Amino acid sequence: MTELYFKGGPIFMGILTIIVLIILIISVVFFITVSFRKINNSEQTLRKINTVKSLGIFALIIGILGQLIGLFSAFRAIRFGEVEASPEIFVEGFKISMIPTVYGILIFTFSIILWFLLKRVLKSSCKSFKINQN
């Protein structure tokens, strides 16, 4: 697992890991807030819960950006003759460039699931609350 982390590029994988940790922290804090306290302003709480979804989208974008920068660097190295271009190298480079993208997609999926669960918890704790379908 750590091999994939370092193959994917420690910069982008590090940023994505920080994002998933922030998503987890925000989700736990909101779950505790919604479950054990009386909510005065459910619309404001919903906006805070929506940050989980927004961070997931941000992780997806960062993952795709990591792949594009990796591919750009690989093609640039091939163009300037730093690397001999063979089909095996193309396939291996493309496989490695997919690591941050897959990690970003997994984080996005995880954040959407958490966002959905937090909305359900908020809806069940607030009887008079109407959730817009955002």
Side-chain angles (χ1 to χ4, degrees), residues 71-87:
L71 287 174
F72 177 78
S73 299
F75 290 143
R76 185 171 178 215
I78 290 169
R79 179 176 162 225
F80 290 129
E82 297 170 7
V83 177
E84 183 182 322
S86 68

Side-chain angles (χ1 to χ4, degrees), residues 14-134:
I15 292 170
L16 290 171
T17 302
I18 290 170
I19 292 172
V20 78
L21 290 175
I22 292 170
I23 288 171
L24 281 172
I25 291 168
I26 289 173
S27 297
V28 168
V29 168
F30 289 154
F31 180 76
I32 291 170
T33 301
V34 169
S35 296
F36 299 115
R37 290 188 190 168
K38 183 176 180 176
I39 299 169
N40 296 330
N41 190 351
S42 57
E43 290 295 327
Q44 182 181 8
T45 306
L46 182 62
R47 277 193 300 259
K48 290 178 182 178
I49 289 173
N50 284 337
T51 59
V52 171
K53 181 174 68 170
S54 299
L55 284 170
I57 293 169
F58 184 63
L60 179 64
I61 291 169
I62 293 292
I64 293 170
L65 182 65
Q67 179 181 14
L68 291 176
I69 289 175
L71 287 174
F72 177 78
S73 299
F75 290 143
R76 185 171 178 215
I78 290 169
R79 179 176 162 225
F80 290 129
E82 297 170 7
V83 177
E84 183 182 322
S86 68
E88 293 84 19
I89 291 178
F90 275 118
V91 171
E92 185 65 25
F94 190 70
K95 183 178 86 171
I96 289 173
S97 76
M98 290 293 291
I99 295 171
T101 304
V102 170
Y103 193 38
I105 290 170
L106 291 174
I107 293 170
F108 174 68
T109 305
F110 180 66
S111 72
I112 292 297
I113 291 169
L114 284 175
W115 171 74
F116 180 76
L117 292 174
L118 289 171
K119 277 181 67 171
R120 291 292 167 205
V121 169
L122 179 64
K123 186 176 181 180
S124 68
S125 67
C126 296
K127 303 287 188 226
S128 64
F129 177 62
K130 295 178 185 174
I131 295 179
N132 296 332
Q133 299 300 321
N134 294 344

